[in-house]
Amino acid sequence: MDWVDQGLCRAQPDRMFAEGAAQNEAKAVCAACPVRLDCLAYALDHREEYGVWGAMTERERRALLRRRPAVTSWAEIFRAAAAHPDPAPAADRDASRAGDRTPYRPVPARGRRPGTAPAGLDR
């Protein structure tokens, strides 16, 4: 674990095991940390149960692990993502994750301006 010595939390490790609202302060320490993803990958891969790791609380990590049970190595996923950044905008990525379903976009009826009521409903 070469990354441990580079973590911004190394001077205050106890602070990373806070509870409640103090976890937000711990997550703020992680925000600018150069080894944040290494830390998070370690916590996910080793199923760390306590503390803030890589700016995620134990509850957030458990939720992520439940959503992605097939992932065997988060470290590999993060390395691959760093090597091949996804140029698609976030909205495009979200739509593709939804099973390639086109998101619903209401289309105004012909002959009406958007935002106007249909005939008979303008009372």
Side-chain angles (χ1 to χ4, degrees):
M1 295 191 328
D2 311 344
W3 55 268
V4 174
D5 293 331
Q6 299 170 30
L8 295 180
C9 63
R10 70 187 176 280
Q12 49 196 344
D14 293 340
R15 184 176 183 189
M16 305 314 284
F17 293 91
E19 294 182 6
Q23 287 180 328
N24 291 331
E25 294 173 15
K27 288 168 68 171
V29 171
C30 300
C33 186
V35 295
R36 182 176 147 225
L37 289 180
D38 294 314
C39 179
L40 179 57
Y42 176 85
L44 292 167
D45 288 344
H46 292 89
R47 305 298 195 262
E48 287 291 339
E49 293 184 31
Y50 305 103
V52 173
W53 293 76
M56 288 186 84
T57 66
E58 56 267 13
R59 177 180 272 175
E60 292 166 336
R61 291 192 308 275
R62 280 193 306 269
L64 179 58
L65 291 169
R66 276 193 307 273
R67 284 193 309 268
R68 304 288 180 144
V71 174
T72 56
S73 174
W74 288 92
E76 287 179 23
I77 288 176
F78 293 156
R79 274 194 296 273
H84 304 294
D86 185 4
D92 293 343
R93 285 193 309 270
D94 293 342
S96 68
R97 281 191 210 120
D100 293 326
R101 293 175 290 182
T102 303
Y104 173 74
R105 290 189 185 108
V107 178
R110 288 188 180 147
R112 287 187 15 226
R113 290 190 336 256
T116 60
L121 295 178
D122 54 349
R123 296 180 198 183

